[in-house]
Amino acid sequence: MVTAQPVVVSLADLKSGNISFETLQEAFGPESLGILVVKDVPTEFPRLRHQLLSYASYMGNLSEADFDKFTNEAAKYLVGWSKGREKLKDGGADEYKGSFYANCAFYVDPSLESAKPTEKFPLEQFPEYLAPNSWPPNETLPGFKPTMEQMCSLIIDTAVLVARACDKFAEKEITGYPSAYLEKTVKSSSTTKARLLHYYPMPEEAMAKGQEEDNWCAVHKDHGCLTGLTSAMFVDELKTDAKAPSFGEKVPELLPTLEELPGSPDPQAGLWIKDRRGVPVQVKIPRDCIAFQTGEALERITRGKFKAVEHSVRGAYAKGIARNTLAVFTQPNLEDEVDLDQHISFGEFARGIIAKNTV
């Protein structure tokens, strides 16, 4: 097993603009792993991370009747709850992972639950981005919505600073690159999408097949600009009760956090990136940091100066162990151009990718 060390920068250096072009090339360039880790993040981050990733286990253990309350088939299961809708390497459906998708339009305007439809991009053609959020009822998961919104906003705030550093590089290296293009795109987008993931404890029959099976996530590239990632939280659901407690008529402000294991019982669980030679290497994100991966929109916007990264994620081959994490896909607005030469909008670009990746 090969473990790679990602490039690490501090939030303070991002704020002051003290990130060298060499550092950005090492993190995102053609020979890189396409990942940058930000340390010294805001003090509320560890609390929000623990709280939100606890909700992932609570959500994953709800009943089918509960799931029906915040599932949106018309939005291709890319708003609200989704399970068994993502394609694996063999073309089958991913049954070992549950996801909650949220539009992050609230970052631009707290009153919005999605981007606003336009004549060019109507709701009927782009429900995965334009259908309003389907939140679980507060009486089912008290405090989930504000926790999710706070955590996503913190990650997007940090992504804006990473984008600013990328712009400085691009403005110098790319002829005709629009000033502050990526920062404006990330800051003003109402189509940024968050995905809270719950990797279920592996069934015994799946573990019996061995670790070569692709039971988790086919190798892929993200199609947005920068993907913000938390480190994973591992929960022993045989020892820790991950069912949402009953609380009668007095609904609490938040559900209690769950006990987090100090690490994964399975050393191979986690994020795997294909290096530029095509060799899979494992990258570990520290618990108190936020990582950012490159996506295909960023590669197009920077004309290949920064490269999207192929990666996959695997859960834990250990009895009773769940893996929870959050990904925030900062994406352009549907009408924003991602190919500045061919004048291709993000909406046009994303349409084919979504059709390819869902069952």
Side-chain angles (χ1 to χ4, degrees):
M1 183 178 75
V2 180
T3 302
Q5 296 302 317
V7 176
V8 180
V9 300
S10 71
L11 184 65
D13 282 342
L14 283 171
K15 287 181 175 178
S16 65
N18 191 29
I19 305 295
S20 70
F21 290 173
E22 291 76 18
T23 297
L24 286 173
Q25 280 280 74
E26 188 183 350
F28 294 153
E31 301 303 316
S32 72
L33 289 173
I35 189 166
L36 179 75
V37 171
V38 181
K39 64 178 182 177
D40 304 329
V41 294
T43 54
E44 65 268 30
F45 174 79
R47 172 186 60 80
L48 285 171
R49 173 192 166 276
H50 192 188
Q51 186 74 56
L52 184 60
L53 299 189
S54 293
Y55 277 116
S57 273
Y58 284 129
M59 183 178 290
N61 284 280
L62 293 175
S63 68
E64 290 298 326
D66 286 323
F67 290 142
D68 287 343
K69 296 173 185 175
F70 56 102
T71 297
N72 189 335
E73 182 180 0
K76 303 176 185 175
Y77 303 96
L78 292 174
V79 173
W81 177 252
S82 173
K83 183 170 180 270
R85 302 294 164 184
E86 187 175 342
K87 287 182 183 176
L88 295 172
K89 183 170 62 179
D90 63 3
D94 181 357
E95 294 288 350
Y96 300 118
K97 177 170 79 243
S99 301
F100 177 82
Y101 288 94
N103 300 312
C104 296
F106 54 77
Y107 185 79
V108 177
D109 180 344
S111 69
L112 292 178
E113 291 290 347
S114 69
K116 294 179 180 178
T118 64
E119 187 176 343
K120 186 175 181 181
F121 297 106
L123 172 61
E124 296 75 23
Q125 292 184 23
F126 283 84
E128 58 269 38
Y129 289 112
L130 300 176
N133 282 322
S134 297
W135 297 101
N138 191 60
E139 60 270 22
T140 303
L141 292 177
F144 171 71
K145 181 175 184 280
T147 302
M148 182 86 169
E149 290 179 336
Q150 290 169 46
M151 182 57 141
C152 292
S153 295
L154 188 156
I155 290 175
I156 299 170
D157 282 343
T158 311
V160 168
L161 298 175
V162 176
R164 184 180 300 168
C166 292
D167 279 331
K168 283 187 177 180
F169 174 89
E171 287 164 20
K172 183 175 183 297
E173 298 291 329
I174 301 170
T175 303
Y177 185 86
S179 176
Y181 186 81
L182 186 62
E183 179 183 353
K184 290 174 185 174
T185 296
V186 172
K187 187 184 289 185
S188 67
S189 177
S190 54
T191 56
T192 286
K193 182 85 75 173
R195 183 182 188 183
L196 182 66
L197 295 120
H198 176 67
Y199 293 79
Y200 284 91
M202 287 285 283
E204 290 190 12
E205 62 270 19
M207 286 196 289
K209 290 181 180 179
Q211 299 192 16
E212 297 306 313
E213 292 288 316
D214 181 12
N215 284 326
W216 295 101
C217 179
V219 175
H220 67 286
K221 297 177 183 178
D222 294 339
H223 63 271
C225 296
L226 294 162
T227 301
L229 300 168
T230 67
S231 64
M233 171 178 169
F234 292 91
V235 179
D236 185 343
E237 293 192 355
L238 293 178
K239 294 181 178 178
T240 300
D241 186 0
K243 291 192 181 298
S246 301
F247 32 76
E249 293 182 5
K250 190 175 182 182
V251 178
E253 191 173 322
L254 295 167
L255 292 183
T257 55
L258 299 176
E259 182 180 352
E260 178 173 6
L261 296 175
S264 171
D266 175 5
Q268 297 206 52
L271 174 64
W272 288 80
I273 293 174
K274 275 193 174 182
D275 69 17
R276 300 311 181 184
R277 297 166 298 159
V279 177
V281 296
Q282 188 180 40
V283 175
K284 297 189 176 181
I285 304 168
R287 194 175 290 187
D288 57 354
C289 296
I290 304 170
F292 291 91
Q293 283 186 292
T294 47
E296 291 184 281
L298 179 64
E299 181 173 327
R300 286 194 173 225
I301 288 168
T302 61
R303 298 190 175 101
K305 295 290 185 181
F306 295 147
K307 291 288 190 181
V309 58
E310 284 194 317
H311 60 282
S312 61
V313 179
R314 56 182 296 129
Y317 279 78
K319 191 173 182 180
I321 305 301
R323 178 184 184 273
N324 301 329
T325 191
L326 173 71
V328 179
F329 306 97
T330 66
Q331 302 174 146
N333 286 308
L334 293 175
E335 64 272 14
D336 289 346
E337 288 188 354
V338 294
D339 191 313
L340 304 179
D341 297 321
Q342 299 182 47
H343 303 293
I344 298 171
S345 72
F346 179 69
E348 294 162 336
F349 171 66
R351 182 181 300 174
I353 293 173
I354 291 169
K356 182 175 67 176
N357 289 341
T358 53
V359 177

